[in-house]
Amino acid sequence: MRIVVAVALLLLSPVPAVGHDIERAEALLADVAAYRRAAAEAAIESERAEAVFRLGETVEALVTALNADVAAHGTRDLFAELVARRLQAQQLNVAWTPAVNRYVYDQAAFRDYLRLAPRGGAAGEAKFRLMAQRFYATIGPDPDVLVDTDVPALQRATAEAERFLAEHGQHSRAESVRFFLAVDHYRIARNVADPTRRAEHARRARLALQQTVERSAQPFDVRAAQTLLERLSR
């Protein structure tokens, strides 16, 4: 089973090239600059936090587009590099990451938002985006094999996911977080030697995986959860 990130495919570019949407890219880059100015010039903390969150959303949209463009062309080209460099020129950490063959944004804007407005209206969404980045960065073709992480890191991730569900149980992203939690408990169960701990994490994984199967509206998550449940039953 392969667990992968599902992303919307957008074609954007600031330079003349077949298949690139120059105007759309320029509009998003202009939005990035505008949100940076708004954050810097905001008179009150709530306005600054809102601008910072919108900045993060816009940068993520551009990075998703860069990766879609790379996928469409089979390689990164001048288009993608120019967009990435323009973002870097605005002190936004977007870089090509060979290990995953993708451009990656460090999502600093969402961390900044949570620092400015830990109980703000977008706090749940900001937390989700940070959790999703961690989750997909540490999941490989085989979930039994840990990638760029370790059991203690997964335990911290499960604690974070449980806090999210306790604080934002009605959030639209809650079922995705439950899926992250299920997979992380599964990965811990597969990578601890102590039989008692292994059994406890397997139990928690089964519970969360079954809840994903019953509640999630995401077909991919449901199929992945069903596969992991089958593995646990062997």
Side-chain angles (χ1 to χ4, degrees):
M1 181 190 70
R2 178 176 292 274
I3 298 181
V4 296
V5 188
V7 295
L9 299 182
L10 305 172
L11 296 177
L12 316 172
S13 175
V15 297
V18 175
H20 300 323
D21 185 344
I22 302 168
E23 292 182 0
R24 176 65 173 158
E26 291 292 353
L28 285 172
L29 285 164
D31 286 345
V32 167
Y35 288 132
R36 288 189 74 247
R37 286 195 302 272
E41 298 170 1
I44 59 176
E45 201 86 325
S46 60
E47 291 178 354
R48 181 175 297 107
E50 174 70 13
V52 165
F53 182 83
R54 297 305 173 194
L55 171 64
E57 281 190 318
T58 308
V59 174
E60 271 208 340
L62 270 168
V63 171
T64 295
L66 295 186
N67 290 322
D69 187 79
V70 169
H73 291 82
T75 184
R76 59 185 175 131
D77 58 13
L78 182 59
F79 147 72
E81 280 300 297
L82 287 176
V83 174
R85 289 174 189 175
R86 289 177 67 174
L87 291 170
Q88 291 162 4
Q90 298 193 62
Q91 299 180 327
L92 296 163
N93 188 6
V94 173
W96 178 256
T97 305
V100 293
N101 204 38
R102 294 172 58 83
Y103 285 94
V104 174
Y105 169 47
D106 69 357
Q107 298 198 324
F110 300 119
R111 284 189 289 274
D112 288 345
Y113 175 85
L114 290 171
R115 177 177 54 79
L116 292 166
R119 294 179 178 80
E125 183 66 18
K127 292 174 186 177
F128 170 78
R129 290 180 186 240
L130 292 168
M131 281 189 287
Q133 183 191 53
R134 177 211 56 81
F135 178 79
Y136 289 116
T138 62
I139 200 79
D142 183 351
D144 285 13
V145 179
L146 299 186
V147 177
D148 293 333
T149 190
D150 52 30
V151 168
L154 290 178
Q155 290 173 320
R156 291 191 294 273
T158 59
E160 183 180 8
E162 286 164 355
R163 283 194 300 272
F164 181 97
L165 293 171
E167 296 171 5
H168 307 283
Q170 302 306 309
H171 195 278
S172 62
R173 305 287 202 171
E175 291 313 315
S176 292
V177 173
R178 196 180 307 282
F179 175 68
F180 298 165
L181 176 64
V183 175
D184 285 345
H185 275 306
Y186 173 90
R187 292 198 284 173
I188 294 171
R190 292 301 210 199
N191 287 278
V192 293
D194 179 71
T196 301
R197 291 179 63 198
R198 184 166 61 246
E200 176 59 17
H201 285 287
R203 183 190 68 79
R204 294 186 183 188
R206 285 191 189 90
L207 176 61
L209 288 167
Q210 190 60 48
Q211 289 174 333
T212 295
V213 170
E214 294 171 355
R215 302 179 187 179
S216 178
Q218 301 298 321
F220 170 79
D221 291 358
V222 171
R223 289 195 301 272
Q226 289 170 333
T227 299
L228 294 183
L229 280 169
E230 290 172 5
R231 286 193 180 188
L232 283 171
S233 66
R234 292 173 190 168

